[in-house]
Structure formats: C-alpha cells, structure tokens
Amino acid sequence: MAERLLRGTTISQGVVMPAQAAVEALPVRLRIVPRRRCDVRDHPVYLALPPAAQRSLLQTGAPVDLLAAEQVSLEGDYLWFVLSGVLGLFPQSSTVCVSHIPSGSVHGWRHALGSSCGDTEARPLVDVRLFRVPAHTVRTALGHDWLSRFVAFQTMQRLTQLESEAACNASHRVNERLAKWLVRLEGGANGAPLKLTQARLGAMLGVQRTSINAAAQELQEAGLIRFGRGRVEVLDLPGLATASCGCGA
C-alpha cells in the first residue's frame, strides 16, 4: 500500500472524534460547511488508503472552508487534506512564503507520528476547502511503522522542493517569480478570483513593494494579468506560464 501511495500522489508535509464533536471543537473562524463539489472521497491520498482507514477518516473527520483573507494558521494535532485551493508554508511569524501545498496534497504528516515540533506554519493563499482529521485516527488506522517510512520519503520530497525554491529566489527576476506564483495560485483556485494585493504578493515573495509593483506592471503591459480592487485576474494563463521561471510550478 505504501508503494501505491508514493507512486500515485503528491504529498506536502507540514499540515476523528465523531463528526459532530469535530464540528463543535472547531473555532468559529474555521467554518464547517456541508459537503458540495469537493469531497475527500475524491482525494488521491484518500483513494490510496485501505478501506478500513477510509472509513475511519470519514467517521471522524470534518470538512472545513477557510478564507484567504482570514490568514488563519492550521494548528493542532491534525492532518489536513487539501481538497481545493492552495496553502502556503511560512516560517513562524513571517510573511515570506517558502513553499506551496496544492490541492491533492496533505498537510501535517508529522502530527501523525506524534511530533508537535516544527518551524513552519501553513496558511491559505487563496480560499481553500479542507478535510480535517485528528492525527490519532491516522496513527491508529495506518500504524507507526508505515507512517515512519512514508514520512521519511515525503520529507525528502519537501527538502528537494525547498532547495529548488531557494535557488529560484536567488537566481530569477521578480517578474518571473511573480508569474510562477500566479500560475500556481490560478491552478489551485478552480476558477475562484485571486484575492491578492500587490503588497501581499510582495510580502510573500520577500521583495520590496517597488519591485513587486514594477513586476506586476510588466506582466499587465504584456496582457497577461490585471490587478484591481484587491484582486488579480489572469488573462492569459499559457502566456503567464511562459513568462514564469517555471521552477516547481
């Protein structure tokens, strides 16, 4: 089963009681919502799990909608299945985004091993729909040995991704990096508007406001994007992908 899961999915590290208890335990800002177009039963990691583990997740987990504007960090001893949208990984108390967690990934595997340490936190970059499962459910359903092997594998994936992102930040122009991130976010937004200001994008990329303004202007003049009223509209996604550096997109 482990080999099947590793071959068939992309996993990101970061980041049940009965369903009603899960609802009551969530803070108000993490809004439990009825199931609609995105469902954990369509998630590639869920599909790779054995039937007994799937049943445990469904019985104890709960869907969560989280707005990008709320900037809430995913906290607690949970696994988060990303059903739609994109999460970002940030060093604690930082606004610089060091990596992304796209839909089809799972955040929080270290919690499944009982580890609470970590120097990064996950926050929504666009509106996200998640499925939250207490980590102890996963430990019970899959076992410590299997989880240890799997987390070791995906930790290496994460290190490779972080190395690629660091090299990109050091070697590519701001407009190329901005285009890369907009391609990532547009792909994960499933048609939803990208509610991002130039100031927030600059903070995410770790560059000065003047630099992000110039990069955004260059992409707008090329007819690839349009900024307005705290939103970004992608006008030409293939063109934007061509203008990007393409690192880890």
Side-chain angles (χ1 to χ4, degrees):
M1 179 188 63
E3 289 76 9
R4 175 187 171 198
L5 182 55
L6 298 181
R7 288 198 305 268
T9 62
T10 300
I11 307 300
S12 295
Q13 181 180 1
V15 127
V16 101
M17 20 178 175
Q20 183 58 38
V23 171
E24 294 172 353
L26 280 173
V28 173
R29 60 188 179 181
L30 299 182
R31 298 179 292 115
I32 299 295
V33 295
R35 179 165 56 88
R36 53 179 190 243
R37 62 187 180 280
C38 297
D39 192 289
V40 71
R41 285 170 287 192
D42 298 321
H43 195 285
V45 176
Y46 173 88
L47 292 172
L49 297 177
Q54 291 178 347
R55 289 192 294 271
S56 295
L57 266 62
L58 289 177
Q59 291 169 359
T60 57
V64 176
D65 273 359
L66 189 58
L67 301 178
E70 296 174 330
Q71 283 296 282
V72 176
S73 299
L74 303 186
E75 302 170 346
D77 192 22
Y78 300 98
L79 261 70
W80 303 84
F81 288 72
V82 185
L83 306 182
S84 68
V86 183
L87 297 171
L89 278 182
F90 297 80
Q92 290 183 355
S93 303
S94 174
T95 59
V96 178
C97 187
V98 297
S99 187
H100 74 301
I101 306 171
S103 58
S105 300
V106 179
H107 172 70
W109 283 104
R110 60 186 173 83
H111 294 300
L113 289 175
S115 172
S116 60
C117 63
D119 55 2
T120 58
E121 53 189 40
R123 306 172 202 151
L125 300 179
V126 295
D127 296 350
V128 294
R129 183 167 174 80
L130 309 164
F131 192 81
R132 191 185 90 155
V133 182
H136 68 78
T137 294
V138 181
R139 286 195 293 270
T140 301
L142 297 178
H144 189 275
D145 290 342
W146 185 91
L147 284 170
S148 296
R149 292 194 300 271
F150 180 69
V151 170
F153 175 86
Q154 60 91 43
T155 296
M156 294 305 298
Q157 285 188 320
R158 169 59 59 201
L159 289 174
T160 299
Q161 187 177 12
L162 291 174
E163 290 171 355
S164 174
E165 203 73 26
C168 173
N169 293 344
S171 58
H172 292 133
R173 298 172 58 213
V174 174
N175 66 310
E176 295 175 315
R177 293 168 54 206
L178 175 60
K180 173 191 69 177
W181 275 100
L182 291 176
V183 169
R184 288 175 173 176
L185 298 178
E186 177 72 10
N190 293 330
L194 301 181
K195 301 174 184 177
L196 292 163
T197 64
Q198 293 185 32
R200 187 179 172 207
L201 284 166
M204 282 173 50
L205 272 63
V207 299
Q208 295 181 347
R209 177 70 180 270
T210 53
S211 298
I212 204 70
N213 289 352
Q217 184 64 31
E218 182 175 336
L219 297 177
Q220 287 189 112
E221 290 177 352
L224 304 178
I225 63 171
R226 179 165 53 223
F227 276 93
R229 298 183 179 276
R231 296 189 178 192
V232 187
E233 182 181 0
V234 176
L235 305 176
D236 181 358
L237 185 58
L240 191 63
T242 300
S244 77
C245 57
C247 297

